[in-house]
Amino acid sequence: MTLSLKDRVALITGATSGIGLAVAEALAGAGADVIIGGFGEADAIAATLTDLEARGVRAAHDGSDLTSGDAVRAMVAKAERDFGRLDILVNNAGMQHVAPVEDFPADRWDLILALNLTAAFHGMAAVVPGMKARGWGRIISTASAHSIAASPFKSAYVSAKHGLIGLTKTVALETALHGITVNAISPGYVWTPLVEKQIPDTMAARGLTREQVLNDVLLAAQPTKAFVTVEQVAAMALHLCSDASAQITGTNISMDGGWTAG
C-alpha cells in the first residue's frame, strides 16, 4: 500500500484558504500536481502556488465561478488540457447563510444550492469519463455534520449537504467497476481564522468568557469539546486517495467529535 501520488493530478475547489488549501498541501506533499480553485488576492495566490511548487510538483490556480455549471465543466476541461489528465477531484467550495425559512432569501437559497451541491454534480459529471478511461480516480467532497443532522435556520446549507451525500452514493455505485472511489468527509466545527475572529464579538454580545464561547457556544454540539483541524481533514482526504482506500466508496466519513453519534 502506498501514499505516493506521483504523476497524479488533483483539482481542489475552494482551495485558496482553509480546508481546501490544507488538502492541496497534503496532496502536493504526496507528489500530486495540484490545481487550486477559489478567489483571493493575486499576490497571496501567487505565494501559495510558489509554496506548493516547492514540494516538487506543478501547481496552478483557477478562479472559475462555480455557480455556473458551464464554468465548472470548462474548468475540468482546462485542467485536463493543461495537465494532460485529472485523477482527483475534491469538491470543497461552499458557503453558508442563516435565516428562518420564512425569511430565507430565495437568491441565497439558489446560490447555496448552486455552490454547495450543483457545482459538485457538474464537476463529477465532467471528470468521470477521463477517470473511467484511465481506470483510476478519486472524488472527494467536503460535506458537514449537517449532512447528517440538521440545525435551525440553515435550510439551504442542510439541504445541500444532505443532497451531496445522495450524489456521492449514487456516483460511487455508477463508477464502482472502474477503479474510481467517491466519498465525502463530514467535519464538525473546524478551527479556521474565520471562526477565531468570531470569538471576541460573541464574548461581547453574550457577556461570556473566551472559554465559555468555545465550549458552550461554538462546541456545544461536539462532545470532545475540541475543534477539528484543517490538517486532520486533509489527512483523511489523502488517505482516501491512497491504495489502502480502494475499497472505501460511497461513504460519508464523520469527523465531528461525536456530534452525530447520538
Side-chain angles (χ1 to χ4, degrees):
M1 299 297 179
T2 177
L3 276 171
S4 173
L5 296 176
K6 182 175 172 54
D7 299 325
R8 302 294 188 191
V9 179
L11 169 61
I12 308 100
T13 66
T16 52
S17 64
I19 292 172
L21 178 55
V23 171
E25 291 171 341
L27 299 185
D33 296 330
V34 293
I35 303 108
I36 58 170
F39 304 126
E41 296 294 330
D43 289 347
I45 291 171
T48 296
L49 294 178
T50 297
D51 179 64
L52 291 168
E53 289 170 342
R55 293 163 168 80
V57 303
R58 295 180 293 169
H61 170 252
D62 192 299
S64 297
D65 177 7
L66 301 187
T67 63
S68 163
D70 289 343
V72 173
R73 291 174 185 257
M75 175 180 66
V76 171
K78 184 177 187 299
E80 291 179 331
R81 184 170 62 251
D82 292 350
F83 283 77
R85 59 191 297 139
L86 189 53
D87 304 288
I88 300 164
L89 171 66
V90 182
N91 297 304
N92 176 70
M95 65 171 294
Q96 173 68 283
H97 183 81
V98 179
V101 67
E102 67 270 26
D103 300 323
F104 209 99
D107 63 337
R108 292 290 97 181
W109 170 276
D110 292 341
L111 184 59
I112 289 170
L113 268 288
L115 185 59
N116 292 28
L117 176 58
T118 307
F121 158 73
H122 286 290
M124 291 184 193
V127 300
V128 161
M131 290 179 174
K132 282 184 175 180
R134 289 184 293 272
W136 195 95
R138 297 290 187 267
I139 299 173
I140 302 166
S141 296
T142 303
S144 164
H146 284 113
S147 72
I148 303 168
S151 291
F153 313 123
K154 299 180 180 181
S155 55
Y157 187 81
V158 171
S159 296
K161 295 302 185 180
H162 273 64
L164 187 58
I165 301 309
L167 177 64
T168 294
K169 292 179 178 180
T170 301
V171 179
L173 295 177
E174 293 180 7
T175 58
L177 296 178
H178 299 277
I180 302 168
T181 66
V182 189
N183 294 290
I185 301 172
S186 285
Y189 280 102
V190 180
W191 183 254
T192 64
L194 183 63
V195 169
E196 187 174 12
K197 289 175 183 176
Q198 295 175 21
I199 294 174
D201 289 341
T202 305
M203 289 170 61
R206 300 196 182 199
L208 301 174
T209 66
R210 177 182 173 87
E211 288 304 310
Q212 286 173 323
V213 170
L214 290 173
N215 293 323
D216 301 334
V217 179
L218 294 176
L219 295 175
Q222 291 185 199
T224 60
K225 300 301 180 185
F227 285 94
V228 183
T229 69
V230 295
E231 292 81 9
Q232 288 167 340
V233 179
M236 180 59 69
L238 180 60
H239 179 65
L240 289 174
C241 290
S242 72
D243 293 341
S245 295
Q247 293 303 314
I248 301 175
T249 194
T251 299
N252 183 14
I253 299 174
S254 293
M255 299 184 69
D256 60 14
W259 178 347
T260 58

